Amino acid sequence: MLNEEVDLFYKALKDTNLLTIEHLTKQYIEKQLSPLVILNEGLIAAMERIGQEFKAQQIWVPEVLLAARNMHRAIEMLKPELIKTKTEPRGKFIIGTVKGDIHDIGKNLVVIMMTGAGYEVTDLGIDVPRERFLEAISQINPDLVGLSALLTTTMLEMENIIKGIREANPSRPKVIIGGAPVTQKFAEKIGADGYAEDAVRAVELANRLLRERS
Ligand code: B1M
């Protein structure tokens, strides 16, 4: 996507009028552009700019909240396109953003992509404590659990949750983690089964882990 096009998404994310992002997203869907290109090269690239402005204290939480609201709406519009490839049921997947963390845009994308790939997904939402993960795991008996964190402080909670999961059952479910501050090295350090950089890679990782298991 051209720089000028990313500018359009950036401006639409900052617009208080929800119609701006709706019109723009609709226009790009009608252009038959891949929904993943609209998402990654348009929306996520624009949101990264907003993150940089936030870091530099050029904008404040209300503006970031506005951008998040607009991003949610655009993702809702892309959702039918993103899950078009739905296939046979593959396995059960539980996901949540860990305790202390309320960022959910990336986690919601993982939900959409995993649903589209045929997983039966239970979304525990945001700010999810270890006990809630353990309770859901004992009720649902998932093949995979996904943990998302966007803060360097809350990513530490992932280790605590993984310890709880392993204490209950060392081999099941597989645990995958992700979120902006998370790395492969960190995943290895805390005993996760894998790390995925984005929602598409989360599906690839989940498929690989389940293949290796069987
Ligand atoms: Co927050 N925030 N925020 N924020 N926010 C960040 C994360 C930050 C990097 C901004 C910055 O300073 N540059 C910074 C964290 C710094 C740090 O810890 N090192 C930050 C901060 C500091 C905060 C507050 C503390 C601010 C404050 O109150 N003073 C506060 C914390 C609240 C809390 O959680 N307790 C806060 C609040 C908020 C809002 C509520 C205003 C809003 C969130 C709204 C919402 O989510 N509903 C918000 C936002 C929007 C952001 C930024 C700007 C954008 C995040 C985003 O949605 N990106 C963010 C800056 C940035 O990341 N560039 C920032 C788009 C999204 C698609 O990407 O979530 O990374 P992401 O998901 C990616 C991958 O990471 C991956 O897949 C997705 C792509 O496909 N992925 C997974 C995610 N989870 C995965 C799980 C997987 C696999 C892949 O497997 C299970």
Side-chain angles (χ1 to χ4, degrees):
M1 209 174 266
L2 299 170
N3 233 335
E4 301 83 81
E5 294 178 285
V6 183
D7 281 345
L8 293 176
F9 281 97
Y10 165 77
K11 284 184 187 136
L13 284 186
K14 291 183 94 173
D15 202 317
T16 50
N17 188 345
L18 200 54
L19 286 176
T20 310
I21 192 76
E22 287 181 353
H23 282 148
L24 186 66
T25 310
K26 187 163 175 271
Q27 199 181 317
Y28 274 80
I29 292 172
E30 284 170 0
K31 275 188 191 170
Q32 308 278 316
L33 209 66
S34 146
L36 279 176
V37 170
I38 303 175
L39 179 68
N40 292 324
E41 296 182 24
L43 289 161
I44 294 181
M47 186 56 113
E48 270 164 20
R49 282 196 204 170
I50 287 169
Q52 282 157 14
E53 288 179 350
F54 184 45
K55 192 175 175 186
Q57 300 191 335
Q58 289 161 348
I59 58 168
W60 305 96
V61 170
E63 284 137 299
V64 185
L65 269 176
L66 176 69
R69 179 203 69 168
N70 292 344
M71 179 103 171
H72 275 302
R73 180 65 195 118
I75 290 172
E76 272 307 305
M77 292 174 74
L78 289 177
K79 200 167 157 181
E81 306 293 320
L82 288 170
I83 59 177
K84 250 180 193 160
T85 51
K86 199 165 172 61
T87 54
E88 290 303 301
R90 287 213 174 141
K92 290 186 198 165
F93 178 61
I94 291 180
I95 186 169
T97 302
V98 303
K99 188 172 121 188
D101 202 321
I102 61 167
H103 294 87
D104 69 354
I105 298 177
K107 185 261 302 163
N108 293 346
L109 284 174
V110 177
V111 169
I112 292 171
M113 298 313 291
M114 290 291 283
T115 306
Y119 286 87
E120 199 182 305
V121 180
T122 304
D123 181 1
L124 301 179
I126 54 173
D127 192 19
V128 183
R130 164 180 150 138
E131 302 70 43
R132 178 73 193 99
F133 275 105
L134 297 181
E135 186 190 33
I137 290 167
S138 73
Q139 284 166 356
I140 295 167
N141 190 23
D143 304 276
L144 291 152
V145 172
L147 310 177
S148 179
L150 264 283
L151 301 173
T152 41
T153 46
T154 57
M155 68 191 261
L156 304 176
E157 177 63 15
M158 290 173 156
E159 184 170 14
N160 181 29
I161 298 169
I162 292 175
K163 273 196 187 133
I165 296 174
R166 298 296 185 233
E167 273 164 28
N169 186 336
S171 61
R172 188 186 162 100
K174 298 284 181 198
V175 182
I176 67 175
I177 65 172
V182 179
T183 60
Q184 175 64 36
K185 204 168 156 203
F186 178 72
E188 285 163 18
K189 183 170 162 269
I190 65 168
D193 294 293
Y195 154 75
E197 195 183 322
D198 59 36
V200 172
R201 289 186 179 95
V203 172
E204 290 166 3
L205 174 64
N207 292 345
R208 180 167 57 76
L209 288 172
L210 292 197
R211 260 198 320 271
E212 284 170 5
R213 195 189 60 180
S214 53

